[in-house]
Short mmCIF file of all heavy atoms in Angstrom, two decimals:
data_model
loop_
_atom_site.label_atom_id
_atom_site.label_comp_id
_atom_site.label_asym_id
_atom_site.label_seq_id
_atom_site.Cartn_x
_atom_site.Cartn_y
_atom_site.Cartn_z
N GLY K 266 127.02 181.65 224.75
CA GLY K 266 127.50 181.31 226.07
C GLY K 266 127.29 179.85 226.39
O GLY K 266 126.95 179.04 225.53
N GLU K 267 127.45 179.51 227.67
CA GLU K 267 127.28 178.14 228.13
C GLU K 267 125.79 177.81 228.19
O GLU K 267 125.01 178.54 228.82
CB GLU K 267 127.92 177.96 229.50
CG GLU K 267 127.94 176.53 229.97
CD GLU K 267 128.66 176.35 231.29
OE1 GLU K 267 129.19 177.35 231.83
OE2 GLU K 267 128.70 175.21 231.79
N LEU K 268 125.41 176.72 227.55
CA LEU K 268 124.00 176.38 227.43
C LEU K 268 123.35 176.19 228.80
O LEU K 268 122.21 176.63 229.02
CB LEU K 268 123.85 175.12 226.59
CG LEU K 268 122.43 174.61 226.34
CD1 LEU K 268 121.54 175.70 225.76
CD2 LEU K 268 122.44 173.38 225.45
N ARG K 269 124.04 175.57 229.73
CA ARG K 269 123.46 175.34 231.05
C ARG K 269 123.12 176.66 231.74
O ARG K 269 122.05 176.80 232.34
CB ARG K 269 124.45 174.54 231.91
CG ARG K 269 123.93 174.21 233.30
CD ARG K 269 124.92 173.35 234.06
NE ARG K 269 126.21 174.01 234.17
CZ ARG K 269 127.28 173.45 234.74
NH1 ARG K 269 127.21 172.22 235.20
NH2 ARG K 269 128.42 174.10 234.82
N GLU K 270 124.00 177.64 231.64
CA GLU K 270 123.76 178.94 232.28
C GLU K 270 122.65 179.71 231.56
O GLU K 270 121.86 180.41 232.19
CB GLU K 270 125.05 179.76 232.30
CG GLU K 270 126.12 179.20 233.21
CD GLU K 270 125.64 179.07 234.66
OE1 GLU K 270 125.01 180.04 235.16
OE2 GLU K 270 125.86 178.01 235.28
N ILE K 271 122.61 179.59 230.24
CA ILE K 271 121.56 180.26 229.47
C ILE K 271 120.19 179.69 229.85
O ILE K 271 119.23 180.43 230.06
CB ILE K 271 121.82 180.11 227.96
CG1 ILE K 271 123.03 180.95 227.55
CG2 ILE K 271 120.59 180.52 227.15
CD1 ILE K 271 123.50 180.71 226.13
N LYS K 272 120.11 178.37 229.98
CA LYS K 272 118.85 177.74 230.39
C LYS K 272 118.44 178.20 231.78
O LYS K 272 117.26 178.48 232.04
CB LYS K 272 118.99 176.21 230.37
CG LYS K 272 118.88 175.59 228.99
CD LYS K 272 118.80 174.08 229.15
CE LYS K 272 118.35 173.44 227.87
NZ LYS K 272 118.02 172.02 228.05
N LYS K 273 119.41 178.26 232.68
CA LYS K 273 119.12 178.69 234.04
C LYS K 273 118.58 180.12 234.05
O LYS K 273 117.62 180.44 234.75
CB LYS K 273 120.39 178.60 234.90
CG LYS K 273 120.16 178.87 236.38
CD LYS K 273 121.48 178.90 237.15
CE LYS K 273 122.17 177.56 237.10
NZ LYS K 273 123.43 177.58 237.92
N ASP K 274 119.19 180.97 233.22
CA ASP K 274 118.77 182.37 233.16
C ASP K 274 117.36 182.49 232.59
O ASP K 274 116.53 183.25 233.10
CB ASP K 274 119.76 183.17 232.31
CG ASP K 274 119.44 184.65 232.30
OD1 ASP K 274 119.37 185.25 233.38
OD2 ASP K 274 119.24 185.21 231.19
N TYR K 275 117.08 181.72 231.52
CA TYR K 275 115.75 181.79 230.90
C TYR K 275 114.68 181.15 231.76
O TYR K 275 113.50 181.48 231.65
CB TYR K 275 115.78 181.14 229.51
CG TYR K 275 116.08 182.11 228.40
CD1 TYR K 275 117.36 182.62 228.23
CD2 TYR K 275 115.09 182.54 227.54
CE1 TYR K 275 117.65 183.53 227.23
CE2 TYR K 275 115.36 183.45 226.53
CZ TYR K 275 116.64 183.94 226.38
OH TYR K 275 116.91 184.85 225.40
N GLY K 276 115.08 180.22 232.65
CA GLY K 276 114.10 179.56 233.51
C GLY K 276 113.89 180.28 234.84
O GLY K 276 112.98 179.91 235.60
N ARG K 277 114.70 181.32 235.09
CA ARG K 277 114.59 182.02 236.38
C ARG K 277 113.21 182.65 236.53
O ARG K 277 112.66 183.23 235.60
CB ARG K 277 115.68 183.09 236.46
CG ARG K 277 115.80 183.77 237.81
CD ARG K 277 117.03 184.64 237.89
NE ARG K 277 118.24 183.82 237.99
CZ ARG K 277 119.21 183.82 237.10
NH1 ARG K 277 119.13 184.59 236.03
NH2 ARG K 277 120.27 183.05 237.25
N ASN K 278 112.65 182.51 237.74
CA ASN K 278 111.33 183.07 238.07
C ASN K 278 110.19 182.42 237.30
O ASN K 278 109.10 183.01 237.19
CB ASN K 278 111.30 184.59 237.86
CG ASN K 278 112.24 185.31 238.80
OD1 ASN K 278 112.44 184.88 239.94
ND2 ASN K 278 112.83 186.40 238.33
N ARG K 279 110.42 181.22 236.77
CA ARG K 279 109.35 180.53 236.06
C ARG K 279 109.09 179.17 236.71
O ARG K 279 110.02 178.49 237.16
CB ARG K 279 109.70 180.35 234.58
CG ARG K 279 109.71 181.67 233.83
CD ARG K 279 110.00 181.48 232.38
NE ARG K 279 110.02 182.77 231.69
CZ ARG K 279 110.34 182.93 230.42
NH1 ARG K 279 110.65 181.87 229.68
NH2 ARG K 279 110.33 184.12 229.87
N LEU K 280 107.83 178.79 236.75
CA LEU K 280 107.41 177.54 237.36
C LEU K 280 106.53 176.76 236.38
O LEU K 280 106.00 177.33 235.42
CB LEU K 280 106.60 177.81 238.63
CG LEU K 280 107.26 178.68 239.72
CD1 LEU K 280 106.23 179.05 240.78
CD2 LEU K 280 108.44 177.95 240.33
N MET K 281 106.38 175.47 236.64
CA MET K 281 105.43 174.67 235.86
C MET K 281 104.39 174.10 236.80
O MET K 281 104.68 173.79 237.96
CB MET K 281 106.16 173.55 235.12
CG MET K 281 106.92 172.60 235.99
SD MET K 281 107.71 171.30 235.01
CE MET K 281 108.51 170.35 236.30
N LEU K 282 103.17 173.97 236.29
CA LEU K 282 102.07 173.48 237.13
C LEU K 282 101.08 172.70 236.27
O LEU K 282 100.66 173.16 235.21
CB LEU K 282 101.35 174.66 237.80
CG LEU K 282 100.09 174.31 238.61
CD1 LEU K 282 100.44 173.46 239.83
CD2 LEU K 282 99.35 175.58 239.02
N SER K 283 100.71 171.52 236.77
CA SER K 283 99.60 170.77 236.19
C SER K 283 98.81 170.16 237.35
O SER K 283 99.32 170.02 238.46
CB SER K 283 100.10 169.67 235.24
OG SER K 283 100.86 168.71 235.94
N ALA K 284 97.54 169.82 237.08
CA ALA K 284 96.66 169.30 238.14
C ALA K 284 95.93 168.06 237.66
O ALA K 284 95.64 167.91 236.47
CB ALA K 284 95.66 170.38 238.55
N GLU K 285 95.65 167.18 238.61
CA GLU K 285 94.93 165.95 238.28
C GLU K 285 93.43 166.20 238.13
O GLU K 285 92.76 165.47 237.40
CB GLU K 285 95.17 164.90 239.38
CG GLU K 285 96.62 164.43 239.45
CD GLU K 285 96.83 163.38 240.52
OE1 GLU K 285 95.85 163.10 241.25
OE2 GLU K 285 97.95 162.85 240.62
N ASN K 286 92.90 167.21 238.81
CA ASN K 286 91.45 167.42 238.82
C ASN K 286 91.01 168.62 237.99
O ASN K 286 89.85 169.04 238.05
CB ASN K 286 90.95 167.57 240.26
CG ASN K 286 91.61 168.73 241.00
OD1 ASN K 286 92.75 169.10 240.68
ND2 ASN K 286 90.91 169.31 241.97
N TYR K 287 91.91 169.23 237.23
CA TYR K 287 91.56 170.35 236.35
C TYR K 287 92.22 170.13 234.99
O TYR K 287 93.42 169.81 234.92
CB TYR K 287 92.07 171.68 236.91
CG TYR K 287 91.24 172.26 238.03
CD1 TYR K 287 91.53 171.96 239.36
CD2 TYR K 287 90.18 173.13 237.77
CE1 TYR K 287 90.79 172.50 240.40
CE2 TYR K 287 89.42 173.67 238.81
CZ TYR K 287 89.73 173.35 240.12
OH TYR K 287 88.99 173.89 241.14
N ASP K 288 91.43 170.31 233.90
CA ASP K 288 92.10 170.33 232.61
C ASP K 288 92.84 171.67 232.48
O ASP K 288 92.68 172.57 233.31
CB ASP K 288 91.12 170.10 231.46
CG ASP K 288 90.07 171.20 231.31
OD1 ASP K 288 90.37 172.37 231.63
OD2 ASP K 288 88.94 170.89 230.88
N GLN K 289 93.64 171.79 231.43
CA GLN K 289 94.54 172.95 231.35
C GLN K 289 93.78 174.27 231.27
O GLN K 289 94.17 175.27 231.91
CB GLN K 289 95.48 172.81 230.15
CG GLN K 289 96.70 173.71 230.25
CD GLN K 289 97.69 173.46 229.14
OE1 GLN K 289 97.60 174.05 228.08
NE2 GLN K 289 98.66 172.57 229.39
N ASN K 290 92.68 174.31 230.53
CA ASN K 290 91.93 175.57 230.40
C ASN K 290 91.32 175.99 231.73
O ASN K 290 91.40 177.17 232.12
CB ASN K 290 90.84 175.42 229.34
CG ASN K 290 91.40 175.35 227.94
OD1 ASN K 290 92.48 175.90 227.67
ND2 ASN K 290 90.70 174.69 227.04
N ARG K 291 90.72 175.04 232.43
CA ARG K 291 90.11 175.37 233.73
C ARG K 291 91.18 175.73 234.76
O ARG K 291 90.98 176.62 235.59
CB ARG K 291 89.27 174.19 234.22
CG ARG K 291 87.98 173.98 233.42
CD ARG K 291 87.23 172.76 233.92
NE ARG K 291 86.87 172.90 235.33
CZ ARG K 291 87.08 171.96 236.24
NH1 ARG K 291 87.66 170.81 235.90
NH2 ARG K 291 86.72 172.15 237.50
N LEU K 292 92.33 175.04 234.68
CA LEU K 292 93.42 175.36 235.61
C LEU K 292 93.94 176.77 235.35
O LEU K 292 94.20 177.53 236.29
CB LEU K 292 94.55 174.34 235.46
CG LEU K 292 95.76 174.54 236.36
CD1 LEU K 292 95.35 174.43 237.83
CD2 LEU K 292 96.86 173.53 236.03
N ALA K 293 94.04 177.14 234.08
CA ALA K 293 94.51 178.48 233.75
C ALA K 293 93.55 179.55 234.29
O ALA K 293 93.99 180.57 234.83
CB ALA K 293 94.66 178.61 232.23
N GLU K 294 92.27 179.29 234.14
CA GLU K 294 91.28 180.25 234.66
C GLU K 294 91.39 180.39 236.17
O GLU K 294 91.33 181.50 236.72
CB GLU K 294 89.87 179.78 234.28
CG GLU K 294 89.56 179.87 232.79
CD GLU K 294 88.21 179.28 232.45
OE1 GLU K 294 87.49 178.84 233.39
OE2 GLU K 294 87.85 179.23 231.25
N LYS K 295 91.59 179.28 236.86
CA LYS K 295 91.68 179.31 238.32
C LYS K 295 92.95 180.04 238.77
O LYS K 295 92.92 180.84 239.72
CB LYS K 295 91.66 177.89 238.88
CG LYS K 295 91.56 177.85 240.41
CD LYS K 295 91.33 176.44 240.89
CE LYS K 295 91.14 176.41 242.41
NZ LYS K 295 89.87 177.05 242.84
N VAL K 296 94.04 179.76 238.08
CA VAL K 296 95.31 180.42 238.43
C VAL K 296 95.19 181.93 238.23
O VAL K 296 95.62 182.72 239.08
CB VAL K 296 96.47 179.85 237.59
CG1 VAL K 296 97.72 180.73 237.71
CG2 VAL K 296 96.79 178.42 238.03
N GLU K 297 94.63 182.34 237.10
CA GLU K 297 94.48 183.78 236.83
C GLU K 297 93.59 184.45 237.88
O GLU K 297 93.85 185.59 238.30
CB GLU K 297 93.89 183.98 235.43
CG GLU K 297 94.89 183.66 234.32
CD GLU K 297 94.24 183.72 232.95
OE1 GLU K 297 92.99 183.73 232.88
OE2 GLU K 297 94.99 183.76 231.94
N LYS K 298 92.56 183.74 238.34
CA LYS K 298 91.61 184.31 239.30
C LYS K 298 92.15 184.34 240.72
O LYS K 298 92.02 185.34 241.44
CB LYS K 298 90.30 183.52 239.25
CG LYS K 298 89.21 184.05 240.17
CD LYS K 298 87.94 183.23 240.03
CE LYS K 298 86.84 183.74 240.96
NZ LYS K 298 85.59 182.94 240.83
N GLU K 299 92.79 183.23 241.15
CA GLU K 299 93.17 183.09 242.55
C GLU K 299 94.66 183.26 242.84
O GLU K 299 95.05 183.41 244.00
CB GLU K 299 92.71 181.71 243.07
CG GLU K 299 91.20 181.51 242.99
CD GLU K 299 90.76 180.17 243.55
OE1 GLU K 299 91.58 179.51 244.23
OE2 GLU K 299 89.59 179.78 243.31
N PHE K 300 95.48 183.26 241.78
CA PHE K 300 96.93 183.37 241.99
C PHE K 300 97.52 184.56 241.23
O PHE K 300 98.73 184.70 241.14
CB PHE K 300 97.64 182.09 241.49
CG PHE K 300 97.33 180.86 242.28
CD1 PHE K 300 96.10 180.24 242.18
CD2 PHE K 300 98.27 180.30 243.13
CE1 PHE K 300 95.81 179.09 242.89
CE2 PHE K 300 97.99 179.16 243.85
CZ PHE K 300 96.76 178.53 243.74
N GLY K 301 96.68 185.42 240.68
CA GLY K 301 97.12 186.50 239.81
C GLY K 301 98.08 187.48 240.45
O GLY K 301 98.87 188.13 239.75
#
């Protein structure tokens, strides 16, 4: 199919997150605990 639509479909309901004051492992732990 059309690549743009396929990307949109695969990206639906997905977000990206990074933080200045947490490394990735600590951020993942916090997200799982407080945003689960």
Side-chain angles (χ1 to χ4, degrees):
E267 187 176 358
L268 181 54
R269 182 176 58 183
E270 292 302 315
I271 290 171
K272 281 190 166 190
K273 186 186 297 183
D274 184 57
Y275 268 73
R277 187 171 287 119
N278 295 326
R279 292 182 180 175
L280 305 170
M281 59 179 180
L282 174 66
S283 64
E285 294 181 355
N286 58 332
Y287 282 91
D288 64 31
Q289 198 174 88
N290 289 332
R291 289 177 60 228
L292 180 62
E294 290 175 3
K295 188 171 184 68
V296 167
E297 288 174 345
K298 182 179 180 180
E299 299 182 14
F300 293 73

